Amino acid sequence: TSKIDKMMKVLLLSLAMVALVAADCYMHNPPGSNNHVDDNQNAPANRLFNSQNNNNAGYNSGRVEAAYKLYEGSILNMQWTSQHGCGNNPRLNCETIIQYRCDDEMRGGTSRNRPTDSGEEPPFTPPADEGLHEPYDNWYACDRRERNKGLFIADQNVGNEASSTRQNGGGGRSGYECAEERDYYPY
C-alpha cells in the first residue's frame, strides 16, 4: 500500500479512537473500537484509552486491513451517538471536538492487554500485538510529572502526579494516555 493509504488508515483509526476519549460517545462511522479487540468478548476497560462509557458498544477489530480506505479528495461522513445531553437546548452546553493523529506507529493491536509499562526511559516500543494510540514517552513523562495544581479537583485528594485527576484519583493507567491531559481538555 502507498504511504497515503497508510496515512489515511491511521487517520481514520485515530478519529474513531480519539473521539471516544473526550466525548463520551459511540462512533458509528467511521466505526470506533471502544477498546475492543477482534474477539467475541470486550477487552478490559481502559485497555488503550478511557472511553468513560462503561466499555459498551464499539466494533471489534484490531486489524489494520479492516480500516477504511479513503483517497485524497474523499468525503468522510461522520456519525456518532453522544452518551450525554447535546443538542438544541439552551440548558445544554457541549462541544464535540475531533482530534486525530497520523503516524506509522499507531495500531489497534490484537492483544487484550494494556500496552506494557516497562518503566524504562524512552524510547521503548511495546510488543507488536499490543495496541498503541499514544507514544510511550507521553505516559512516561506524565507519570513522572507533578500535576498542575491550578486545575479544579473539587474535594478530591489526588496526590501530586499528572496521572491522577479528580476523575482518576487512583492514577490508574489507560493505555499510554495522560489522565491530566484527557480530563482537562484543552490542556
Side-chain angles (χ1 to χ4, degrees):
T1 61
S2 74
K3 185 168 179 112
I4 291 176
D5 287 343
K6 284 182 182 178
M7 287 178 57
M8 289 307 297
K9 287 177 185 176
V10 170
L11 170 64
L12 292 171
L13 180 64
S14 302
L15 283 171
M17 304 301 179
V18 175
L20 288 169
V21 174
D24 286 358
C25 73
Y26 304 105
M27 292 296 297
H28 302 296
N29 190 50
S33 77
N34 199 26
N35 282 320
H36 292 196
V37 293
D38 200 17
D39 62 19
N40 293 327
Q41 301 172 345
N42 288 349
N46 305 333
R47 178 178 76 101
L48 297 178
F49 54 89
N50 182 353
S51 67
Q52 299 180 1
N53 63 13
N54 306 318
N55 210 26
N56 291 323
Y59 300 88
N60 295 348
S61 184
R63 298 185 321 266
V64 172
E65 63 271 12
Y68 278 85
K69 290 185 180 181
L70 294 177
Y71 302 92
E72 187 175 346
S74 296
I75 296 174
L76 174 64
N77 291 314
M78 299 184 72
Q79 298 174 342
W80 64 88
T81 302
S82 295
Q83 182 180 3
H84 304 290
C86 194
N88 190 15
N89 182 328
R91 293 184 285 169
L92 297 177
N93 180 19
C94 71
E95 294 179 330
T96 300
I97 299 165
I98 305 297
Q99 292 180 284
Y100 62 91
R101 176 180 159 215
C102 292
D103 69 41
D104 291 334
E105 300 299 317
M106 289 189 57
R107 59 183 185 258
T110 56
S111 169
R112 299 177 57 74
N113 301 321
R114 274 189 306 214
T116 303
D117 181 6
S118 69
E120 298 174 28
E121 277 193 42
F124 168 76
T125 303
D129 67 333
E130 294 178 359
L132 188 60
H133 288 180
E134 298 269 359
Y136 172 75
D137 56 339
N138 185 67
W139 165 252
Y140 184 86
C142 175
D143 194 41
R144 287 151 182 79
R145 182 173 65 232
E146 186 173 323
R147 74 174 179 85
N148 179 342
K149 294 194 170 73
L151 298 172
F152 177 72
I153 60 168
D155 60 353
Q156 304 290 313
N157 180 8
V158 299
N160 291 316
E161 293 81 30
S163 57
S164 298
T165 67
R166 66 185 172 87
Q167 294 178 291
N168 191 42
R173 185 167 65 90
S174 300
Y176 291 145
E177 74 178 1
C178 181
E180 189 171 80
E181 294 172 11
R182 176 198 66 231
D183 292 345
Y184 296 101
Y185 183 88
Y187 184 67

